[in-house]
Amino acid sequence: MFYRASLQATAAVASLSVLAGCGLLSDSASETDQQISVGTTSSPSTLDPAAAWDGSWELMRNVFQTLVSFPTGSTSPEPDAAQSCEFTDSTSMAYSCTLKPGLKFSNGEKIDASAVKYSIDRIKKIKVKGGPAGLLGSLDRVETRGDDTVVFRLGKADATFPFILATPAMSIVAPGDYPADRIRDDGKVTGSGPYVLESYEPGNKAELTRNPAYKGFADRKNTAVTIRYFKDSTPMVAALKDKEIDATYRGLTAEEVVGLEDNKKDNDGLQIVETVGADIRFLVFNPSDQAAGKLPVRRAIAQLVDRDALVAKVYRGTAEPLYSMVPKGIAGHTTSFFDSFGDPDPAKAEKILTDAGITEPVALTLWFTTDRYGSSTAPEFAELKRQLEASGLFRVTLRSAPWTTFQKGFTKGAYPVFGRGWFPDFPDPDNFIAPFVGRDSVTGTPYVTDEITRELLPSSRRESNRGSVSQQFKRAQEILVEDVRLLPLWQGKLYVAAGEDIGGGERALDPQTVMQMWELFRKTSW
């Protein structure tokens, strides 16, 4: 019942279409040819699942296993390392999983119930700031029954818990190689996923080969994958055109997507696969900052930002304006920011400030990361600066940093206003509200709002029918508008660009918008 109901919340991420190039190609190539190279501008910030609540999941999904996961074509969690999983009570407070027999880590260690317990417990013990411990707020304790059964005792009802277990953050790690009280930092991985990480050069590339001991749902259609990390999309697209890589994912600019779609003559042999995504971009305001900490300043910014202009100028149809932290296609979506602020209006923004006694232009620094969300991020923030300064109400300074530096900065509360992106952990409205509120907000900026955390979220998590939680999330979004601690900007589409001889792109993205590398394969001519 729970899984069937979740279909309502996931339909939007299942629509895929190939927009170019069909050749006379067969569906498979020889075993020796099945080595695939994929480019991305989103390199891992960590190799340890206990620290990962970001794009690092891309690599982790392919080298680790979770108890449940999303097989290709599935919109709800199904067993992976587990043989079976289920709630064992009627209140969604006890979730039990039985492991498949004979599972081993790549170092030869046996995977048993104690290894699963160890993996989850260390996430909570290490509790990396801005890390995945925030996903486990409902978990009270993990119990084992013999070698093959794990029981998750929840401190409060949480019908979304199977979805949480399906995230790469909940990957099962080898106790012998991962310290219980600190992050592993030797640049290596010990997992039981479809691939083994043979070598890794931070910011450069990851070499994956088939894991011979793997027992899971993934039907690997290639023998090896090289993931190349680019600091900018321009050389990545050039590498695709020069056939140095076979496919790209994450980081294409709007101009590059449009160019690849429209200029067929110069891009012969390439294809674009479009996915209706649930990824969002938003601004985070630091309440400790002298300017951003003032509600009238935040409200004035919300009154000025022109999302239509932002999307038209920077993203050229590859994104759409977003007026809620819950995007279109997810149950509970509203247009709450538009309902409250309407169209951009400098006169209204000025009145908000003057009514609060603010009569001089507000000096504000906006931060963004240079290498996490693609090359369009810099022009996006340039457009935000232009809009705010055109009103005469703000003087904006733009600052940027690579992701690893940027992440350290915002988790320390060093930035007044900064841009964040969110690719969903799972396609449910809970995942677009809960991570951003509470003392352990994934933004690194605590946002305590008792009505959301103590009333609305607990109430919604008692509902196994996820299509019936709209009222709770409508009210939650109203609160976010009242506080303006987060300002949604746009909702994107996802694109995989690949050579015409590469198949599987339309099946490669799971409901978490994580690329399943095993779906990619090289076709051969008849």
Side-chain angles (χ1 to χ4, degrees):
M1 180 179 183
F2 165 67
Y3 291 144
R4 288 198 297 273
S6 70
L7 291 173
Q8 300 175 55
T10 59
V13 298
S15 176
L16 301 169
S17 59
V18 180
L19 301 181
C22 294
L24 293 177
L25 302 171
S26 67
D27 286 339
S28 62
S30 67
E31 191 81 356
T32 56
D33 291 334
Q34 290 300 339
Q35 298 187 32
I36 304 296
S37 179
V38 179
T40 177
T41 61
S42 182
S43 61
S45 63
T46 178
L47 297 183
D48 191 329
W53 203 353
D54 58 18
S56 304
W57 286 9
E58 204 78 62
L59 179 60
M60 292 176 185
R61 171 59 75 213
N62 292 276
V63 296
F64 290 104
Q65 271 186 300
T66 45
L67 287 170
V68 292
S69 189
F70 292 96
T72 301
S74 171
T75 54
S76 57
E78 296 180 17
D80 184 9
Q83 186 166 273
S84 63
C85 288
E86 63 179 351
F87 279 108
T88 58
D89 65 342
S90 60
T91 58
S92 299
M93 293 184 65
Y95 193 70
S96 177
C97 291
T98 301
L99 288 166
K100 290 177 180 173
L103 295 178
K104 290 184 178 181
F105 292 108
S106 56
N107 67 354
E109 282 186 50
K110 181 176 72 171
I111 300 178
D112 57 15
S114 63
V116 175
K117 174 177 168 58
Y118 183 91
S119 300
I120 304 300
D121 284 349
R122 70 186 292 268
I123 296 173
K124 297 189 71 174
K125 184 172 185 178
I126 298 172
K127 200 176 182 179
V128 173
K129 188 172 184 180
L135 286 168
L136 295 172
S138 63
L139 179 63
D140 179 37
R141 65 189 185 278
V142 185
E143 300 173 352
T144 61
R145 293 179 180 173
D147 289 341
D148 65 350
T149 301
V150 188
V151 180
F152 299 91
R153 300 289 183 185
L154 308 184
K156 48 194 173 183
D158 188 358
T160 71
F161 192 73
F163 286 89
I164 293 168
L165 283 183
T167 66
M170 304 300 142
S171 295
I172 307 168
V173 300
D177 287 346
Y178 288 80
D181 57 355
R182 60 183 174 83
I183 295 302
R184 181 179 182 179
D185 58 4
D186 62 358
K188 297 180 180 180
V189 162
T190 311
S192 59
Y195 298 97
V196 173
L197 182 64
E198 288 290 343
S199 65
Y200 178 68
E201 299 174 26
N204 186 20
K205 66 178 179 179
E207 297 281 1
L208 311 182
T209 59
R210 277 192 184 184
N211 178 2
Y214 172 67
K215 293 183 179 181
F217 67 83
D219 178 13
R220 293 163 294 185
K221 297 179 174 64
N222 54 62
T223 56
V225 177
T226 297
I227 305 174
R228 286 185 55 187
Y229 301 111
F230 294 84
K231 295 185 182 301
D232 186 86
S233 62
T234 301
M236 181 174 71
V237 173
L240 177 67
K241 292 180 176 180
D242 292 340
K243 300 187 184 303
E244 295 173 6
I245 59 176
D246 299 308
T248 69
Y249 178 54
R250 294 212 195 280
L252 293 175
T253 65
E255 288 77 12
E256 288 161 347
V257 171
V258 172
L260 288 169
E261 288 180 332
D262 293 347
N263 195 355
K264 301 294 193 302
K265 182 179 179 181
D266 293 340
N267 300 313
D268 186 41
L270 297 179
Q271 61 175 314
I272 288 283
V273 179
E274 177 185 310
T275 303
V276 179
D279 62 309
I280 65 173
R281 298 294 184 276
F282 56 97
L283 295 178
V284 181
F285 295 94
N286 187 343
S288 300
D289 180 70
Q290 184 176 2
K294 297 176 180 177
L295 178 59
V297 170
R298 302 196 299 270
R299 289 181 55 82
I301 293 172
Q303 187 64 71
L304 287 172
V305 170
D306 188 339
R307 295 168 177 82
D308 286 323
L310 181 68
V311 167
K313 291 182 179 181
V314 180
Y315 291 100
R316 300 180 60 187
T318 62
E320 56 184 317
L322 181 65
Y323 296 94
S324 160
M325 290 299 288
V326 179
K328 289 182 180 179
I330 301 295
H333 167 74
T334 69
T335 56
S336 50
F337 272 90
F338 184 83
D339 297 341
S340 293
F341 292 98
D343 292 321
D345 191 325
K348 289 182 179 178
E350 182 176 15
K351 186 175 187 307
I352 290 171
L353 292 175
T354 55
D355 285 352
I358 302 172
T359 56
E360 296 294 324
V362 178
L364 203 62
T365 301
L366 272 59
W367 281 81
F368 63 93
T369 181
T370 56
D371 59 353
R372 172 59 48 170
Y373 307 123
S375 303
S376 296
T377 308
E380 174 183 344
F381 274 76
E383 172 61 14
L384 288 171
K385 170 182 167 73
R386 185 199 67 78
Q387 292 181 11
L388 294 178
E389 291 188 335
S391 69
L393 304 175
F394 289 90
R395 296 195 310 272
V396 177
T397 300
L398 296 182
R399 300 288 300 276
S400 62
W403 176 255
T404 52
T405 303
F406 181 76
Q407 188 177 39
K408 291 176 182 176
F410 71 67
T411 55
K412 292 179 180 178
Y415 304 151
V417 185
F418 57 95
R420 282 296 308 269
W422 186 249
F423 296 90
D425 304 321
F426 49 88
D428 186 277
D430 187 286
N431 196 234
F432 292 92
I433 300 292
F436 311 123
V437 297
R439 299 189 184 280
D440 296 320
S441 166
V442 71
T443 66
T445 304
Y447 178 15
V448 178
T449 168
D450 287 345
E451 184 178 351
I452 294 179
T453 57
R454 294 185 180 182
E455 297 177 27
L456 299 174
L457 290 176
S459 171
S460 72
R461 288 170 178 172
R462 288 192 289 269
E463 294 287 344
S464 60
N465 182 348
R466 302 308 293 162
S468 65
V469 296
S470 295
Q471 287 305 310
Q472 292 96 322
F473 287 104
K474 179 181 178 181
R475 174 55 189 152
Q477 290 168 86
E478 291 172 352
I479 295 170
L480 297 185
V481 172
E482 292 166 6
D483 296 340
V484 199
R485 287 284 306 278
L486 308 163
L487 185 65
L489 297 173
W490 54 267
Q491 172 179 352
K493 302 174 184 177
L494 298 177
Y495 297 88
V496 175
E500 191 178 60
D501 63 331
I502 299 299
E506 71 282 1
R507 292 170 56 84
L509 304 182
D510 73 6
Q512 298 162 312
T513 66
V514 169
M515 180 172 274
Q516 302 173 136
M517 301 294 178
W518 58 83
E519 290 290 350
L520 301 177
F521 63 93
R522 192 179 310 282
K523 304 173 183 177
T524 54
S525 299
W526 284 357

